[in-house]
Structures are given as structure tokens and as C-alpha cells.
Amino acid sequence: MQPMHIHVVPLPGHRWTQSMESFAKTVSDWPGMYFEMDGSFVWVRGSNSDASRSQIDGMLYDRNESIEYFDLKGTATKDSWLELFNAILGKTSKTCNLDELDENLRVHTVSRGEYKSVRQFIQTIDGI
């Protein structure tokens, strides 16, 4: 796993309807999730000795009762990224539908300045 710095945004011309408070409610009880009501959070999965340890540090930005975008940094498994993307859509299920994710959000890789679909981003995690 390599460290990532990404922005997660809605598709052009669209807005998410979820508020910061509803996102907080979705993720606050996750093991290893530390969420502050200023929009910042840290999510750690696994132990320091675990090869699949994930840590995502995030900041969400909202306006007029809806989330505008997420600034995310971390080293995480594809399952962790997908679970977080699912929560961005307000889904509590761990089952992710890549088509639905691609229809509602996109990923901006900060280091490369490229926009990718969720599917394309997940492929970079797999090293494909």
C-alpha cells in the first residue's frame, strides 16, 4: 500500500444531499474512527504490526447543510477506501456497488492532478 492524498468530490453539476452530521452519525461508531464535529477525522484499522493496517486522515468541507468535498490522506486497503466512499453516499452497508459509487463521486489525485472514477482509483491500489 502506498500513501495517498485525494479529494473526493461529487460529479460535475451535482451536489451531495448528505450533511456533515449525517456522515458523522454513519461513521462515528466504526472501530478506530475518531470524528470531530469540525469535520476532521482519523480512521485506523488493524495494529501497527498488521501488514493490512489502514489509516485515513480526513477533513470534510460542507456548506448549506450538505457536504462539498473530502480531503483524505492515508495508507489503506481498497476495502477501507471503498467502505469510506460508501459512507460518503450515506450507505451503512459494507457492500459497495462500484457503478453506484462512479455515478455519484469522483476522486482527484492531488499529486498527479488527475480525476479518476472510483473504479480507476481502486485499480491503482491493486497495482493494476
Side-chain angles (χ1 to χ4, degrees):
M1 291 184 294
Q2 60 181 334
M4 300 284 193
H5 182 194
I6 62 172
H7 294 154
V8 180
V9 299
L11 292 177
H14 293 87
R15 288 186 57 106
W16 293 321
T17 58
Q18 182 168 216
S19 68
M20 177 180 66
E21 292 78 11
S22 63
F23 177 78
K25 185 176 180 179
T26 300
V27 302
S28 289
D29 64 346
W30 290 4
M33 175 62 80
Y34 305 95
F35 190 91
E36 297 289 335
M37 289 311 290
D38 66 354
S40 62
F41 60 92
V42 176
W43 184 33
V44 179
R45 294 177 87 175
S47 65
N48 286 335
S49 61
D50 186 356
S52 64
R53 180 182 188 274
S54 295
Q55 179 172 333
I56 300 173
D57 300 342
M59 184 70 193
L60 71 84
Y61 296 88
D62 65 336
R63 181 177 66 187
N64 298 332
E65 303 294 320
S66 73
I67 298 171
E68 291 286 314
Y69 73 97
F70 287 79
D71 182 9
L72 304 172
K73 297 174 186 170
T75 304
T77 63
K78 69 177 183 175
D79 290 338
S80 294
W81 287 113
L82 287 170
E83 191 169 351
L84 187 58
F85 294 159
N86 210 36
I88 289 170
L89 296 183
K91 309 287 184 183
T92 56
S93 167
K94 290 185 180 184
T95 304
C96 293
N97 179 330
L98 282 173
D99 291 332
E100 182 179 11
L101 291 172
D102 283 344
E103 291 168 4
N104 289 283
L105 56 89
R106 63 187 179 148
V107 177
H108 178 253
T109 56
V110 174
S111 65
R112 294 184 170 257
E114 299 174 332
Y115 284 97
K116 297 180 178 231
S117 69
V118 171
R119 191 179 312 271
Q120 291 168 329
F121 174 72
I122 293 303
Q123 287 174 344
T124 67
I125 303 260
D126 285 340
I128 295 175

